[in-house]
Amino acid sequence: MLMCAGVAGAQSPGHIAADSLRATNDSGAVPDWTRRGLAWLSCGGGTHGVTAGFGFRYRWFGAEQSVVTNGTATPPYYPDNRAVPNGTFTIVSFPDPAIGIDGQLFYDIDRFSLFLAAGYFEQTNHQLRRSDVDGRFYSGPDDSVQHWFGYGGGMQYYITPAFAVGCGLHSFRGAYLLVGFWP
């Protein structure tokens, strides 16, 4: 009897357990805001053209591969080393889309994640000879390849622990938006 009274006395009428004060979601569980991972799609643009990318992060490290298109296409041309009429021509360069990858470091503050990015981009330029007589294109000298190192930063905002939106600014890609999820 005394033991039952002692246990009953431990539950004072004005005492509320600390666990019952935590915010809960619809299922009754406490949301876990620790960042385990995220996968996202991004799009935007800048001075180099329109950009699209796919990225992921796990805890504090991430990576994003992206393509930057410039809106130009290589025109039809004579592929063999045919002589240009009258022998007068101008070398014209037509760039392919640039492809690159960025490494990212994240810092989490409640529902926000700030990140810094640094990466490498490469682009092939097709060199063609344009006839000064008839304006047609002929195969030219060897293609050239350009390389860039880029850097940037941005933020992600977690609407739920598994869904986030964000934005970024990059020295090569320009400004971009992203939408991400973690299954």
Side-chain angles (χ1 to χ4, degrees):
M1 283 289 222
L2 289 175
M3 186 176 254
C4 290
V7 171
Q11 297 291 332
S12 63
H15 180 359
I16 300 174
D19 289 340
S20 66
L21 296 176
R22 291 188 184 156
T24 59
N25 60 17
D26 293 338
S27 66
V30 176
D32 182 11
W33 290 104
T34 58
R35 308 300 188 266
R36 291 195 175 90
L38 187 73
W40 65 84
L41 297 173
S42 64
C43 64
T47 58
H48 292 281
V50 176
T51 181
F54 169 76
F56 67 92
R57 76 172 277 195
Y58 185 73
R59 299 203 183 267
W60 57 272
F61 177 75
E64 183 170 15
Q65 183 166 11
S66 55
V67 175
V68 180
T69 63
N70 53 19
T72 62
T74 304
Y77 63 94
Y78 294 106
D80 52 5
N81 287 325
R82 189 179 295 193
V84 177
N86 199 18
T88 60
F89 58 87
T90 304
I91 300 289
V92 181
S93 179
F94 294 95
D96 279 347
I99 298 173
I101 188 162
D102 284 304
Q104 299 168 327
L105 295 175
F106 288 86
Y107 181 73
D108 298 324
I109 305 169
D110 194 30
R111 289 183 175 216
F112 287 95
S113 282
L114 304 176
F115 65 88
L116 294 175
Y120 170 78
F121 290 81
E122 184 175 284
Q123 180 177 38
T124 301
N125 294 313
H126 298 288
Q127 306 286 331
L128 299 179
R129 297 175 294 161
R130 182 179 64 212
S131 170
D132 293 339
V133 174
D134 61 10
R136 293 184 183 166
F137 289 97
Y138 298 84
S139 62
D142 291 336
D143 295 341
S144 67
V145 178
Q146 290 180 295
H147 309 275
W148 293 277
F149 289 99
Y151 56 90
M155 59 79 73
Q156 297 172 342
Y157 175 74
Y158 283 76
I159 296 170
T160 71
F163 180 72
V165 295
C167 61
L169 185 61
H170 195 275
S171 64
F172 187 73
R173 295 180 61 194
Y176 60 95
L177 300 174
L178 63 90
V179 175
F181 64 94
W182 183 253

